[in-house]
Amino acid sequence: EPEVTQTPSHQVTQMGQEVILRCVPISNHLYFYWYRQILGQKVEFLVSFYNNEISEKSEIFDDQFSVERPDGSNFTLKIRSTKLEDSAMYFCASTGNRNTGELFFGEGSRLTVL
Amino acid sequence: QKEVEQNSGPLSVPEGAIASLNCTYSDRGSQSFFWYRQYSGKSPELIMFIYSNGDKEDGRFTAQLNKASQYVSLLIRDSQPSDSATYLCAVGNQFYFGTGTSLTVIP
């Protein structure tokens, strides 16, 4: 069964460092998403991506964040100058049709900022 | 800001009972609505989606949508201990998620 894969599963970094979280969406999907979930809190929308550009982003997704699809398979989230409050689980998701539903999630990348 | 609110939990029901989960949303233009389930430490997984006013049934699950009231609900019939999880309402093409309702089914 096709699946969304994320790497790394857990990353520990020092405050102020840059991190890159990687995702391989399902191959025939066209819409890609990043979400964040701080421990015990809601799943928060960060950004959606379609046709090699950002289609929508939330207030959370400020200049500290960027996304890229560097090749035909990977979808990355870069977080510059990490802060303590960036510690969270980051989920990548993809769908082939954003109107009919299933958003497939990866297992998440847990980011810990010290 | 597109708000999605869910009834506060946690919710506990005995095995075999009906669990009722509620969700309201602020964006009147939203056309698609989803219910996801998230087990502790896991990623969300889709239970069902609904686009039209009324009820939609899938096995033990029934989603209800009322666009005029900006309200969507999920009923779980014959609740099982394996249904114990956090249930997330998601709205729109960007899948804005609600805060989630934690459900515990007591054997």
Side-chain angles (χ1 to χ4, degrees), chain A residues 33 35 37 48 56 99-100, chain B residues 36 38 51 93-96:
Chain A
Y33 302 78
Y35 291 87
Q37 188 173 32
S48 60
E56 188 167 336
N99 292 319
T100 60
Chain B
Y36 281 77
Q38 187 178 28
Y51 306 128
N93 292 340
Q94 309 307 336
F95 299 87
Y96 286 92

Side-chain angles (χ1 to χ4, degrees), chain B residues 51-102:
Chain B
Y51 306 128
S52 304
N53 279 327
D55 296 359
K56 179 181 180 183
E57 188 174 315
D58 184 0
R60 296 186 295 111
F61 300 94
T62 299
Q64 299 173 314
L65 174 61
N66 183 327
K67 291 184 181 179
S69 300
Q70 296 174 245
Y71 173 91
V72 59
S73 66
L74 181 71
L75 298 177
I76 307 174
R77 289 182 300 281
D78 188 24
S79 296
Q80 301 297 308
S82 59
D83 294 328
S84 298
T86 297
Y87 289 79
L88 310 173
C89 171
V91 175
N93 292 340
Q94 309 307 336
F95 299 87
Y96 286 92
F97 283 85
T99 50
T101 300
S102 176

Side-chain angles (χ1 to χ4, degrees), chain B residues 9-51:
Chain B
L11 177 66
S12 292
V13 300
E15 185 174 354
I18 296 175
S20 177
L21 306 162
N22 303 316
C23 173
T24 58
Y25 58 94
S26 63
D27 183 5
R28 187 170 286 278
S30 298
Q31 297 296 318
S32 50
F33 308 88
F34 308 88
W35 282 101
Y36 281 77
R37 176 175 60 199
Q38 187 178 28
Y39 291 110
S40 180
K42 300 294 186 182
S43 55
E45 55 184 3
L46 181 71
I47 298 173
M48 62 191 305
F49 58 87
I50 185 167
Y51 306 128

Side-chain angles (χ1 to χ4, degrees), chain A:
Chain A
E1 183 176 323
E3 60 181 15
V4 176
T5 57
Q6 291 186 242
T7 55
S9 57
H10 189 192
Q11 179 153 359
V12 181
T13 190
Q14 295 293 321
M15 192 168 54
Q17 296 297 302
E18 175 182 287
V19 298
I20 297 177
L21 306 179
R22 291 181 169 80
C23 170
V24 179
I26 294 173
S27 61
N28 62 345
H29 284 183
L30 301 176
Y31 302 90
F32 314 122
Y33 302 78
W34 282 102
Y35 291 87
R36 178 181 81 177
Q37 188 173 32
I38 296 170
L39 186 63
Q41 298 187 25
K42 66 184 290 186
V43 176
E44 300 175 288
F45 169 75
L46 293 178
V47 65
S48 60
F49 194 87
Y50 170 72
N51 199 26
N52 286 322
E53 60 183 27
I54 291 174
S55 50
E56 188 167 336
K57 59 183 181 179
S58 72
E59 296 170 350
I60 302 169
F61 195 89
D62 58 20
D63 292 343
Q64 186 191 5
F65 296 89
S66 62
V67 290
E68 193 176 42
R69 190 160 163 80
D71 53 43
S73 59
N74 290 286
F75 179 50
T76 63
L77 175 68
K78 182 187 290 186
I79 309 174
R80 287 179 283 275
S81 189
T82 49
K83 306 186 284 274
L84 296 177
E85 54 265 38
D86 294 327
S87 296
M89 181 73 86
Y90 289 82
F91 290 110
C92 174
S94 71
T95 184
N97 186 329
R98 62 182 186 168
N99 292 319
T100 60
E102 187 154 11
L103 192 61
F104 290 83
F105 282 83
E107 292 298 307
S109 292
R110 179 165 296 286
L111 175 64
T112 302
V113 182
L114 302 177

